[in-house]
Amino acid sequence: MLPNVIFTSIRELGERLRTGALSPIALTQLFLERLETLGPHYNAVVTTTRDRAMAQAQWAEAEIASGHYRGPLHGIPYGAKDLIATSGGIPTTWGAAPFRNQTFDDDATVIQKLEASGAILVAKLAMVELAGGMGYFQPHASFTGPCRNPWNPNTWSGGSSSGSGAAVSGGLVPFAIGSETFGSILSPANNCGVAGLRPTYGRVSRFGAMALCWTLDKLGPLCLTADDCGLVLDAIAGPDPADPTASQQVFTYDAEPVGRRFKLGVPTGITDEVEEYARRHFEQALEVLSEVATIDTVSLPDLPYEAITRTILAAEAASAFDEFIDRGQAAELTAPEDHYGPYARTAILATDYIRALRLRGRMARDIDALFEGSSGFDALLGPSRWTPATGIDENFRSPVHGNAPDVLGAIGNGAGLPAISVPNGFTPQGLPTGIQFMGRAYAENTVLAIARAYQGLTDWHQRHPPHPS
């Protein structure tokens, strides 16, 4: 019976656990075995937390049997990106060779909240070294090796939450926690054909998570469905005295249908430089969404969105790792370009950083106006990425010319807005593509409702990779 639950939603797993039809111990053992046997095939796992997981599973089984059911995550195994601190001697490597033996005395707040919900930590998952903050441009930028995409292990799972996307897609965990500074949740969600939710900046405490960019970093879930993302966000969101940037707003997931048509905006030119199948699938998704939404094109204000957000990211990353850079430890990183990338970031002028901060304020105000009032949009949408997964040995961007424009990524991360990516098709080579819905600050329930409505009309999220040979 157990193999049939591998690609089962959190909501359904939770109900089976609640009724006793499924055992937390058996479920945890199943996913530990998959992590230990299939994890190396994808380079998706840094550390399995078997002892801690089995102790938590035994406790969950006893609690549920006694009638103390904590909620839909009780007894559900999960993995955490390896920049999230874990206690008990479990390493937190930040994906980087110089920190491969690093440990912390305390769990990060997000780990504490998931434990309080009854979820079971089974693994620390692979990531791009230092969350990509040193300027990498190819998949090999991790001491655990390039993270492989379960749909085709010769392609990349995406960065920097590489292991989180691959582990959910490959059925190694029911859900995972990733982080995003600029694309690091939506990219693996797109490449691996899963749902990935980037919450509003400050919605989830970052206490205990590696700091790359203080004003851009966000933690969020990668799951099989949009509904699962809502269930996980409900458990991890909320104020935290240990993190002064955590919002005081309380989040409660609303899984009920909205009961009205959505109003969606497609930025002009959003698919101009997008790969053929990513563009085609986006256009087909618009046709599907027309059943539940009114869709209009929208002209965005003329601002240098990518320059704003990337300047802030580069300057703050250089500051976050200034001692590491000064000690010359960048030479110990895996990706050759990461040996010199940090030094370029230290050359950013303070005047440029301040200018970017000022322009970010204007950007946030101008974009918020598009969502304002009864005539405003519920969400802006576009392809999650400009291309499906690239080859495991390919540069995914040029070190000189960079990426195709990622306007929604720049706006969403620069202004701290929530977005969710869900799968919207497959190429003839069997690689998934994604569509993203970006909403107003603190409007996670709205973007989740739109994504749920889309998934109710399609079955892309019900397709899963074959077992590796």
Side-chain angles (χ1 to χ4, degrees):
M1 179 186 75
L2 274 177
N4 295 328
V5 305
I6 290 169
F7 292 111
T8 302
S9 71
I10 289 173
R11 190 175 292 281
E12 185 175 344
L13 285 176
E15 182 61 16
R16 294 189 195 183
L17 289 163
R18 185 189 68 80
T19 62
L22 194 58
S23 157
I25 293 174
L27 192 65
T28 300
Q29 288 174 330
L30 171 67
F31 283 107
L32 282 168
E33 289 170 5
R34 291 182 66 80
L35 286 159
E36 290 165 352
T37 57
L38 300 181
H41 184 81
Y42 302 126
N43 288 336
V45 181
V46 183
T47 307
T48 52
T49 57
R50 177 173 282 275
D51 290 345
R52 175 171 176 157
M54 292 310 301
Q56 290 179 334
Q58 290 164 6
W59 184 248
E61 188 145 316
E63 283 192 321
I64 294 171
S66 69
H68 178 48
Y69 180 65
R70 298 180 183 227
L73 301 189
H74 201 174
I76 305 284
Y78 76 97
K81 185 175 180 177
D82 205 23
L83 55 61
I84 300 171
T86 42
S87 62
I90 299 168
T92 301
T93 70
W94 298 351
F99 300 101
R100 66 193 311 157
N101 297 315
Q102 176 176 245
T103 58
F104 292 96
D105 293 332
D106 299 305
D107 290 326
T109 295
V110 69
I111 300 292
Q112 296 176 32
K113 288 193 172 188
L114 286 168
E115 183 168 348
S117 76
I120 296 167
L121 178 67
V122 289
K124 302 295 290 297
L125 300 172
M127 57 178 284
V128 170
E129 55 192 357
L130 305 183
M134 301 300 106
Y136 81 114
F137 50 77
Q138 42 81 24
H140 292 257
S142 175
F143 82 93
T144 53
C147 196
R148 297 178 181 273
N149 188 342
W151 287 100
N152 180 345
N154 292 318
T155 64
W156 187 39
S157 68
S160 68
S161 303
S162 311
S164 298
V168 174
S169 176
L172 310 187
V173 288
F175 75 92
I177 303 298
S179 72
E180 175 155 323
T181 306
F182 196 148
S184 294
I185 289 175
L186 268 61
S187 168
N190 174 82
N191 287 13
C192 296
V194 299
L197 174 66
R198 179 188 74 221
T200 304
Y201 175 82
R203 176 67 89 183
V204 178
S205 170
R206 300 170 300 171
F207 177 74
M210 186 202 87
L212 172 61
C213 184
W214 296 287
T215 65
L216 297 178
D217 295 343
K218 299 158 288 288
L219 300 179
L222 290 106
C223 305
L224 293 173
T225 67
D227 181 51
D228 284 356
C229 287
L231 294 173
V232 176
L233 184 63
D234 192 85
I236 63 177
D240 179 15
D243 180 0
T245 69
S247 171
Q248 296 302 303
Q249 292 200 31
V250 175
F251 174 78
T252 301
Y253 176 44
D254 182 2
E256 294 299 317
V258 170
R260 61 171 175 82
R261 288 182 67 80
F262 300 105
K263 185 175 182 181
L264 306 179
V266 180
T268 303
I270 197 68
T271 61
D272 283 354
E273 298 186 47
V274 171
E275 182 271 347
E276 175 188 0
Y277 288 101
R279 174 182 52 77
R280 184 182 300 179
H281 296 163
F282 177 69
E283 293 169 350
Q284 291 169 349
L286 294 183
E287 295 180 13
V288 173
L289 285 163
S290 66
E291 295 188 34
V292 294
T294 300
I295 304 171
D296 295 318
T297 57
V298 57
S299 296
L300 300 178
D302 185 17
L303 288 170
Y305 297 110
E306 288 221 40
I308 292 168
T309 303
R310 291 197 184 280
T311 298
I312 294 169
L313 192 165
E316 293 190 13
S319 178
F321 286 95
D322 57 353
E323 293 183 7
F324 175 82
I325 296 168
D326 289 345
R327 290 194 299 264
Q329 285 187 279
E332 301 174 35
L333 295 173
T334 301
E337 63 271 23
D338 286 351
H339 296 176
Y340 56 79
Y343 300 101
R345 283 153 171 69
T346 62
I348 293 174
L349 298 176
T351 52
D352 289 336
Y353 176 65
I354 297 300
R355 185 178 295 112
L357 292 179
R358 293 176 64 183
L359 284 170
R360 175 166 67 180
R362 177 181 165 188
M363 174 177 73
R365 290 189 296 273
D366 286 353
I367 296 302
D368 189 63
L370 298 176
F371 299 111
E372 196 167 18
S374 58
S375 61
F377 292 104
D378 291 303
L380 302 181
L381 64 161
S384 299
R385 299 291 284 176
W386 55 90
T387 180
T390 51
I392 201 72
D393 293 319
E394 293 180 37
N395 289 353
F396 60 85
R397 68 169 176 247
S398 162
V400 176
H401 301 293
N403 301 315
D406 185 8
V407 175
L408 288 185
I411 293 171
N413 284 287
L417 305 180
I420 186 169
S421 171
V422 294
N424 71 337
F426 288 84
T427 70
Q429 294 75 35
L431 294 173
T433 59
I435 183 172
Q436 66 168 303
F437 305 97
M438 184 182 78
R440 196 176 195 180
Y442 303 109
E444 284 90 350
N445 272 323
T446 300
V447 296
L448 285 165
I450 298 167
R452 287 198 315 272
Y454 177 70
Q455 293 195 313
L457 296 169
T458 60
D459 68 352
W460 305 117
H461 59 291
Q462 296 173 359
R463 305 186 188 189
H464 307 293
H467 191 287
S469 57

